[in-house]
Structure formats: C-alpha cells, structure tokens
C-alpha cells in the first residue's frame, strides 16, 4: 500500500466505534493514535499503561476487517520479541515506534533505536509493517544541528535496520519533498488542519498520510459544543 499511485491515507482511530466508522467509509486500512487512545481511556498523552494501550488497540483491530497499524509509542518497556508477538496475536498488521521518550522528551541514540527496530523486524518477520517515527522536529537538538539533515540520517538508519516506512513527525511542509528525495524510502507525513491539503501532501511524494490525534480533537470540539448547547437549554 506504500507504493501506489497515491499516498496511503490512514485515519487514526481511538476506539472500536471510530474505527468502524472509518472502515465503513471505505478506507482500506486504519491507524491508531496513542494520544487519542490515551484521551479516550482517561490518560494524558504518553502516560497510558502499556497493558491498557495494548488491550485498546487489540479491540480496535478486532472491530474491523481492514488492516490496523497501532501507535505503541516506545514499546512500553517490552522486549522486541514480546512486543512483536503481542501485536501479531492481537491481529494488528503494523506498528508505529517512536525514537524519543514521551515523558522526558529525550531523543534516543539512533543506533540503539535501530537495534530495537531490527529486533522487532527479526521477531515479526513479514507479519508487521514497521513505521519508525523520527522525532527531531519535536524534540530539542544540539545547537547548530539541522533538523532536516538529522531526520535524513535517522530515517536512513531505521530503514536499513528493517523499518518499512519512516515518520518525521511535524516536519515542515516545505521540507517534505527534500526528505522524500534524500531518505530514499517511504515517508509518512501528518495532515494538520492548518497545513497542506491531502492532495498537496501527496504531491510532495510522501507514501503515507496520518492524522495523529487531530481527528479525535476535532470530534471532541463538536462534543464540547453539543454539551454547552445542552447545558444552556437546561439553564434557560
């Protein structure tokens, strides 16, 4: 799906109901968002217990017939073999692994991250599509380091380790075409409401487009508006 004439567009679900809605609309595959799932479970982003996250993404995968890839942050401290086994057993077809700590915001050494990715690949074989997130645009870098160059180096390292796709999250839209050209493998971009359209992102050459927690945030704005209207009616 990463090599079609158009980018693979993956809506990010947060529960079984949202997943079914996206699947029924005709999307060929879905992703989850760790931030959106966290909010649905009552946690802040980056603080969901691993067992609860894995249970939630398994429910999402069971609820639809289309492939589901799960955002599993940094793997919740599980060994590569255990993580791969748990994901495959849950019926998931892919995973998103981040290269920075969501709490400390520290970037992981790229060689160490590549080693973990390679171990997940070895354990999963061809059963999982691995999307390696590159966090240089959302985490502090040493002075003088060009984030685009840093992203290219990390992305190439992760692809060489066995990742199928790389995700330089929050990369500036004007840098996407350069990233695609220099990385030399499938690149995942994030759609944002204040950014390029899906068609414009597609023209940069990215292979995959996701939404992070943006779709959940949009729905929750509508819920808050509805709640305010109901409360106003009660008080009138």
């Amino acid at each position: 799906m990463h090599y079609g004439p158009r980018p693979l567009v993956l809506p990010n679900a947060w529960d079984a109901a949202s997943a079914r809605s996206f699947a029924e609309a005709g999307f060929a595959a879905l992703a989850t968002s760790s931030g959106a799932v966290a909010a649905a479970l009552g946690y802040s982003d980056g603080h969901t217990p691993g067992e609860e996250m894995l249970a939630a993404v398994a429910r999402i995968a069971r609820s639809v017939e289309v492939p589901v890839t799960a955002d599993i942050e940094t793997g919740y401290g599980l060994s590569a073999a255990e993580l791969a086994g748990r994901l495959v057993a849950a019926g998931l077809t892919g995973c998103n692994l981040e290269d920075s700590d969501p709490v400390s915001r520290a970037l992981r050494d790229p060689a160490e991250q590549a080693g973990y990715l390679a171990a997940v690949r070895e354990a999963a074989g061809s059963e999982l599509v691995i999307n390696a997130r590159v966090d240089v645009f959302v985490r502090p870098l040493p002075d003088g380091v060009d984030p685009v160059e840093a992203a290219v180096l990390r992305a190439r390292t992760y692809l060489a380790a066995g990742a199928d796709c790389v995700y330089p999250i929050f990369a500036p839209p004007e840098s996407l075409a350069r990233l695609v050209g220099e990385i030399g493998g499938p690149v995942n971009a994030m759609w944002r409401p204040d950014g390029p359209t899906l068609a414009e992102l597609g023209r940069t050459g990215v292979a995959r487009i996701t939404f992070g927690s943006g779709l959940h945030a949009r729905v929750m704005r509508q819920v808050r508006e509805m709640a305010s209207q109901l409360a106003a009616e009660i008080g009138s």
Side-chain angles (χ1 to χ4, degrees):
M1 290 183 173
H2 291 154
Y3 295 94
R6 293 182 297 178
L8 172 63
V9 177
L10 295 168
N12 293 85
W14 53 91
D15 59 13
S18 60
R20 287 181 182 136
S21 296
F22 292 129
E24 289 167 0
F27 287 94
L30 306 177
T32 70
S33 159
S34 62
V37 172
L41 294 175
Y43 297 100
S44 58
D45 191 13
H47 291 82
T48 308
E51 289 301 319
E52 292 196 45
M53 179 64 75
L54 290 169
V57 298
R59 283 193 296 273
I60 290 171
R62 289 196 303 267
S63 72
V64 293
E65 298 297 325
V66 299
V68 176
T69 179
D71 179 357
I72 49 171
E73 300 178 284
T74 57
Y76 306 109
L78 299 175
S79 70
E82 184 177 0
L83 179 65
R86 295 279 297 273
L87 295 174
V88 172
L92 292 151
T93 59
C95 64
N96 181 74
L97 280 165
E98 304 170 9
D99 68 349
S100 71
D101 185 277
V103 178
S104 71
R105 296 176 58 83
L107 281 163
R108 190 175 187 186
D109 178 82
E112 291 180 4
Q113 180 70 357
Y116 188 66
L117 294 169
V120 173
R121 166 58 64 221
E122 182 178 5
S126 61
E127 296 297 312
L128 289 175
V129 172
I130 300 174
N131 188 40
R133 207 176 89 172
V134 179
D135 288 356
V136 297
F137 295 102
V138 292
R139 302 293 187 242
L141 287 172
D143 291 342
V145 174
D146 178 6
V148 175
E149 292 180 2
V152 169
L153 289 174
R154 283 177 177 263
R156 288 176 175 172
T157 300
Y158 301 159
L159 289 170
D164 299 284
C165 186
V166 290
Y167 181 16
I169 189 169
F170 288 111
E174 62 273 16
S175 299
L176 286 173
R178 177 185 168 190
L179 288 167
V180 169
E182 295 187 15
I183 287 171
V187 174
N188 185 148
M190 177 189 281
W191 178 91
R192 302 176 69 186
D194 58 348
T197 65
L198 292 174
E200 289 168 339
L201 286 173
R203 287 194 285 273
T204 67
V206 298
R208 165 170 161 158
I209 301 171
T210 52
F211 300 80
S213 58
L215 300 178
H216 176 261
R218 181 175 176 179
V219 169
M220 290 310 300
R221 283 194 296 271
Q222 294 174 332
V223 171
R224 286 190 290 270
E225 291 175 6
M226 178 177 63
S228 297
Q229 291 169 359
L230 291 173
E233 289 183 27
I234 293 170
S236 61

